[in-house]
Amino acid sequence: MSIVKVKTEGGAYSIHIAPNLLQQVGTSIPPDATSVVLISNPTVFGLYGKTVLQSLEASGKKISVFEVPDGEAYKTLETLNSIYTFLLEQRLDRRAVIVALGGGVIGDMCGFAAATYMRGIRFIQVPTTLLAQVDSSVGGKTAVNHPMGKNMIGAFYQPIAVDIDTTVLGTLPEREIAAGLAEVIKYGLILDAGFFDWCEQNVASLKALEPEAIGYAVQRSCELKAYVVSEDEKETGMRAILNLGHTFGHAIEAGLGFGTWLHGEAVGCGMVQAAELSARVCGFPQADVERVRALVAAIGCPVTAPDLGTDKWIELMQIDKKAEGGKIKFIVMPGIGQAKSQTVPREDLMLVLKKTTQKG
Amino acid sequence: MSIVKVKTEGGAYSIHIAPNLLQQVGTSIPPDATSVVLISNPTVFGLYGKTVLQSLEASGKKISVFEVPDGEAYKTLETLNSIYTFLLEQRLDRRAVIVALGGGVIGDMCGFAAATYMRGIRFIQVPTTLLAQVDSSVGGKTAVNHPMGKNMIGAFYQPIAVDIDTTVLGTLPEREIAAGLAEVIKYGLILDAGFFDWCEQNVASLKALEPEAIGYAVQRSCELKAYVVSEDEKETGMRAILNLGHTFGHAIEAGLGFGTWLHGEAVGCGMVQAAELSARVCGFPQADVERVRALVAAIGCPVTAPDLGTDKWIELMQIDKKAEGGKIKFIVMPGIGQAKSQTVPREDLMLVLKKTTQKG
Ligand SMILES: NC(=O)c1ccc[n+]([C@@H]2O[C@H](COP(=O)([O-])OP(=O)(O)OC[C@H]3O[C@@H](n4cnc5c(N)ncnc54)[C@H](O)[C@@H]3O)[C@@H](O)[C@H]2O)c1
Ligand SMILES: NC(=O)c1ccc[n+]([C@@H]2O[C@H](COP(=O)([O-])OP(=O)(O)OC[C@H]3O[C@@H](n4cnc5c(N)ncnc54)[C@H](O)[C@@H]3O)[C@@H](O)[C@H]2O)c1
Ligand SMILES: [Zn+2]
Ligand SMILES: [Zn+2]
């Protein structure tokens, strides 16, 4: 088992990474917990619910299970409210612990439920998608969507543990693996050129989910994310580099309607766009743009953005959370393994959009 | 102007207390704010909106106003959602500042909106009821209600400033003043015997809202609450003493239907019940029980609890947030100016309920 420690002002905790770890989730329940609520969706619960339940039951606590419908469309205030109602019906007090079993949707929503039920109870992340394992379960961002914007309602709230079972990735559709690998590559691009090289060399093993390769990729991603988050829990500075490719990506997701492209797919494509932008505004070598494009394509993500129309692109990028005071800031790379936040001239942005979007 | 400093892990800020302070709220807006949203209800906005707006406009920021319906019945996820929608329609970013102008309902709900909009934006409390000035605006508890329980959804989230104008109390109904004074007395009971004496001696001036008396009562209450909160922001220990009278009080509020009695009225009565309980379980002198009863009556709060029936009482007290693991803990007083948390025998509780509730 690999252990990655996360330390933030909001709390310190460990990420445990190992094959077949679901069987040990029960050991993460703190002794003073009064009860445990396992929250999942029918897809994931159907596959892994029994294993996790068995492990939780060994903790000797009162266990209850709540399932929410599967899908980003249900990451809403309404579903959240159904979670609150369930917790209240079960008469759960402040020492109850939520176990979030699922992808980023379950993790984000359960994290926010934990952050706000009775002003905060403890929760454990058990991420089951690659994206959730390398990204959303680490760092304490929790949220639900609002009809007017993704993740607009949320909190910074840290779990007490993250239990990552890499074996469960075997039942994920190929597209989900590709989407998760986009975030893996991101860490190399913003912080660790050596890891980016490693990803290039191991792309076939990663796509095939070879245990050693995927285990290392998850571990290194968690380490890099944990490092960033410990420096800047609340995204007042450095943490913004994690948004490489995300301003473009969110615009794609929103522009096509959420769910058309997966988050990671949009981010994969967004990173190609960010690389092109970096070449224009901060000297990122054009040869490296092509390496980014090739690796994003190799993991199976799109590298050409949809044609949303220029006005729509601009509109969608401005409503994004990262837009402050009307100016658009982007995360750009002076080189592979380096990233910074920078306001970019509208002109350069236009040229990049022109170059990277599909011609209808 | 009196200034009370509050220091918590979640942030440090000042409470400003003075007559006619509404005219200076604009000076609390931080220079880097991109815009300001004033949130209030028609009652309070009708009385004081213009004054506050004028002061905010002097800050030179973009100002917008949002009114929510008046009343505890609207302290809901639904109203909260209407606030989010407004903030998004106004395209407010993370550097927007919310100004909450109103009583505890506005303050709690705006505080929670600020805590969760884009994972947290800054907000300023401008409390206009006595209860809000001495209690709810200080300490960072924010929340909305759930049909199954009051304040069940919320967060600990500190404002960046609290601006208290004592003049606005002049337009409050007498019952609201009485309810606020109940919380004032509470601080004396749990922490400061001298302040309790002072309240006994100045009860007429307080009821008449004489500026010097009410100014001092607000200041001392804020100091005492700030002290407790700085010791224990998240109510893991000492902060619980602020709940003196509240387990009984919440049961009364919920049992009669929220809004029948005002929160402070229920707490006033609850403190009499807590005093009786203290006499049984930790030696609180019976003579002091009578002083509590007399002072609660003198400020104009009820001292006899409604007859909810024993089963209902127990049920309502157990679903309360302070109930952990099924046992009922109460805040009790060994003497005036001292308080502690203690599990009490069911028998003593029964006798106190019998003694303090109205016979049908
Ligand atoms: N909090 C953060 O820092 C952060 C970061 C990135 C993304 N996110 C959020 O994460 C969400 C996306 O997460 P996601 O990509 O995991 O989507 P998801 O949670 O919707 O999961 C994708 C699909 O895979 C299914 N699934 C999950 N595990 C499975 C398994 N082991 N086998 C088979 N099927 C499985 C799910 O039921 C779902 O249908 C978005 O809402 C996004 O906003 C949050
Ligand atoms: N956050 C905390 O720590 C905390 C502590 C105690 C209570 N609370 C919460 O506070 C709420 C009760 O607050 P409240 O008693 O202020 O009730 P409230 O906010 O409903 O105000 C009472 C009434 O007075 C009106 N009003 C407000 N200011 C006025 C003024 N100056 N002149 C005339 N009318 C005015 C309001 O519009 C309302 O109709 C409850 O929801 C309770 O849960 C929170
Ligand atoms: Zn992402
Ligand atoms: Zn109170």
Side-chain angles (χ1 to χ4, degrees):
Chain A
M1 181 163 75
S2 320
I3 297 184
V4 178
K5 303 242 175 221
V6 187
K7 237 178 131 167
T8 71
E9 278 175 32
Y13 55 97
S14 295
I15 306 170
H16 311 109
I17 306 162
N20 301 311
L21 193 66
L22 287 190
Q23 294 159 21
Q24 292 171 53
V25 171
T27 59
S28 293
I29 303 297
D32 70 337
T34 46
S35 51
V36 179
V37 196
L38 177 62
I39 304 183
S40 190
N41 68 35
T43 312
V44 180
F45 191 79
L47 289 163
Y48 303 110
K50 216 168 144 181
T51 308
V52 176
L53 268 185
Q54 264 170 5
S55 164
L56 290 176
E57 269 152 17
S59 76
K61 309 288 180 188
K62 182 195 150 200
I63 315 286
S64 49
V65 177
F66 189 63
E67 292 185 43
V68 300
D70 187 3
E72 180 81 37
Y74 298 96
K75 187 178 156 184
T76 60
L77 269 185
E78 213 180 328
T79 310
L80 187 70
N81 198 20
S82 75
I83 295 176
Y84 295 138
T85 303
F86 178 79
L87 300 177
L88 285 165
E89 279 169 358
Q90 297 288 313
R91 298 184 159 239
L92 295 182
D93 67 21
R94 283 181 171 168
R95 286 192 290 160
V97 173
I98 292 178
V99 175
L101 175 69
V105 166
I106 290 288
D108 277 19
M109 190 157 48
C110 291
F112 189 54
T116 54
Y117 182 67
M118 294 189 174
R119 301 198 184 91
I121 63 174
R122 290 168 292 183
F123 85 114
I124 295 170
Q125 293 271 20
V126 187
T128 61
T129 65
L130 183 55
L131 181 128
Q133 295 186 346
V134 300
D135 187 0
S136 64
S137 68
V138 180
K141 276 195 181 181
T142 72
V144 295
N145 301 326
H146 184 281
M148 292 181 67
K150 207 169 135 63
N151 294 328
M152 285 293 148
I153 304 163
F156 290 97
Y157 196 72
Q158 304 293 339
I160 57 167
V162 183
D163 289 339
I164 300 181
D165 182 340
T166 46
T167 317
V168 303
L169 301 177
T171 50
L172 270 185
E174 218 177 308
R175 267 182 80 186
E176 299 282 349
I177 298 293
L181 287 174
E183 303 276 1
V184 171
I185 291 173
K186 184 187 76 180
Y187 296 111
L189 280 176
I190 60 177
L191 285 166
D192 186 344
F195 183 51
F196 184 83
D197 295 350
W198 182 92
C199 290
E200 285 183 321
Q201 285 145 27
N202 292 275
V203 65
S205 316
L206 288 171
K207 288 210 66 174
L209 297 177
E210 282 176 21
E212 213 165 313
I214 203 73
Y216 176 69
V218 170
Q219 181 198 326
R220 187 73 193 129
S221 297
C222 288
E223 281 168 0
L224 291 167
K225 179 146 188 190
Y227 161 70
V228 173
V229 168
S230 66
E231 294 284 310
D232 174 25
E233 182 178 8
K234 300 209 172 149
E235 198 166 348
T236 52
M238 188 217 213
R239 187 168 179 161
I241 65 171
L242 294 173
N243 290 323
L244 178 77
H246 279 62
T247 302
F248 291 108
H250 283 168
I252 295 173
E253 287 184 88
L256 296 179
F258 287 104
T260 312
W261 285 23
L262 297 177
H263 172 74
E265 291 175 330
V267 168
C269 179
M271 289 192 299
V272 176
Q273 295 178 285
E276 290 282 9
L277 187 63
S278 303
R280 296 203 70 82
V281 302
C282 62
F284 190 71
Q286 193 63 41
D288 286 341
V289 176
E290 299 317 321
R291 283 176 71 193
V292 174
R293 198 185 313 271
L295 186 53
V296 169
I299 59 173
C301 282
V303 292
T304 307
D307 185 11
L308 306 172
T310 308
D311 292 350
K312 190 87 189 159
W313 270 105
I314 296 295
E315 188 196 322
L316 289 167
M317 291 192 289
Q318 269 169 346
I319 202 165
D320 189 275
K321 284 188 299 302
K322 287 165 291 304
E324 288 191 349
K327 274 179 240 151
I328 313 183
K329 272 194 177 169
F330 283 84
I331 305 302
V332 291
M333 299 171 285
I336 287 178
Q338 301 159 39
K340 59 174 185 175
S341 177
Q342 186 176 311
T343 311
V344 304
R346 198 183 161 100
E347 194 182 281
D348 288 306
L349 184 57
M350 290 301 130
L351 286 166
V352 167
L353 286 177
K354 203 170 164 193
K355 180 166 181 188
T356 56
T357 55
Q358 192 142 27
K359 298 309 154 291
Chain B
M1 181 164 78
S2 319
I3 296 182
V4 177
K5 304 243 176 220
V6 187
K7 237 178 131 169
T8 71
E9 277 175 31
Y13 55 97
S14 295
I15 306 170
H16 312 107
I17 306 162
N20 301 310
L21 194 67
L22 287 190
Q23 295 160 23
Q24 292 172 53
V25 172
T27 59
S28 293
I29 304 297
D32 70 337
T34 45
S35 51
V36 179
V37 197
L38 177 61
I39 304 184
S40 191
N41 68 35
T43 312
V44 180
F45 191 78
L47 289 163
Y48 302 110
K50 217 168 142 179
T51 307
V52 176
L53 268 185
Q54 264 169 8
S55 163
L56 289 175
E57 270 153 14
S59 76
K61 309 287 179 191
K62 182 194 152 202
I63 316 287
S64 48
V65 178
F66 189 62
E67 292 184 44
V68 299
D70 186 3
E72 181 81 36
Y74 297 97
K75 187 178 155 184
T76 59
L77 269 185
E78 211 180 330
T79 311
L80 187 70
N81 198 20
S82 74
I83 296 175
Y84 296 138
T85 303
F86 179 79
L87 300 176
L88 286 165
E89 279 169 357
Q90 297 289 312
R91 299 186 158 239
L92 295 183
D93 67 22
R94 283 180 173 171
R95 285 192 291 159
V97 173
I98 292 178
V99 174
L101 174 69
V105 167
I106 290 287
D108 277 17
M109 188 158 50
C110 291
F112 189 54
T116 54
Y117 182 68
M118 294 187 173
R119 299 199 187 90
I121 62 174
R122 290 169 291 184
F123 86 114
I124 295 170
Q125 293 271 22
V126 186
T128 61
T129 64
L130 182 55
L131 182 129
Q133 294 186 348
V134 300
D135 186 0
S136 63
S137 69
V138 180
K141 276 195 181 179
T142 72
V144 296
N145 300 327
H146 183 280
M148 292 182 65
K150 210 168 133 63
N151 294 328
M152 286 293 149
I153 305 162
F156 290 97
Y157 196 72
Q158 304 294 338
I160 57 167
V162 182
D163 290 339
I164 299 181
D165 182 339
T166 47
T167 317
V168 304
L169 302 176
T171 51
L172 270 186
E174 218 176 307
R175 268 182 79 186
E176 300 282 349
I177 298 293
L181 287 174
E183 302 276 3
V184 170
I185 291 172
K186 184 187 74 180
Y187 296 111
L189 280 176
I190 60 178
L191 285 166
D192 186 345
F195 183 50
F196 184 82
D197 295 349
W198 181 92
C199 289
E200 286 183 319
Q201 285 145 29
N202 291 274
V203 65
S205 315
L206 288 171
K207 288 210 66 176
L209 297 177
E210 282 177 23
E212 213 164 312
I214 203 74
Y216 176 69
V218 170
Q219 181 197 324
R220 188 72 193 131
S221 297
C222 288
E223 281 167 2
L224 291 166
K225 177 144 187 190
Y227 161 70
V228 173
V229 168
S230 67
E231 294 285 309
D232 175 24
E233 181 178 9
K234 300 206 173 150
E235 197 165 349
T236 51
M238 188 218 211
R239 186 169 179 159
I241 65 171
L242 294 173
N243 290 324
L244 178 76
H246 279 64
T247 302
F248 291 108
H250 283 169
I252 295 174
E253 286 185 270
L256 296 180
F258 287 105
T260 312
W261 284 23
L262 296 177
H263 173 73
E265 291 174 330
V267 168
C269 180
M271 290 191 299
V272 176
Q273 295 178 284
E276 291 281 11
L277 186 62
S278 304
R280 296 203 70 82
V281 302
C282 62
F284 190 70
Q286 193 63 40
D288 286 341
V289 176
E290 300 316 323
R291 283 175 71 193
V292 174
R293 198 186 311 271
L295 186 53
V296 169
I299 60 172
C301 282
V303 292
T304 307
D307 183 11
L308 306 171
T310 307
D311 291 351
K312 190 87 188 158
W313 269 105
I314 297 296
E315 188 197 322
L316 289 167
M317 291 192 290
Q318 268 169 346
I319 201 164
D320 191 276
K321 285 188 299 302
K322 286 165 292 302
E324 289 190 349
K327 275 179 241 153
I328 314 183
K329 272 192 178 172
F330 283 85
I331 305 303
V332 291
M333 300 172 286
I336 288 179
Q338 301 159 37
K340 58 173 187 177
S341 178
Q342 188 175 310
T343 311
V344 304
R346 200 185 160 99
E347 193 182 281
D348 289 305
L349 184 56
M350 290 301 132
L351 287 168
V352 167
L353 286 176
K354 203 170 166 194
K355 179 166 182 188
T356 57
T357 56
Q358 193 142 29
K359 299 307 155 293

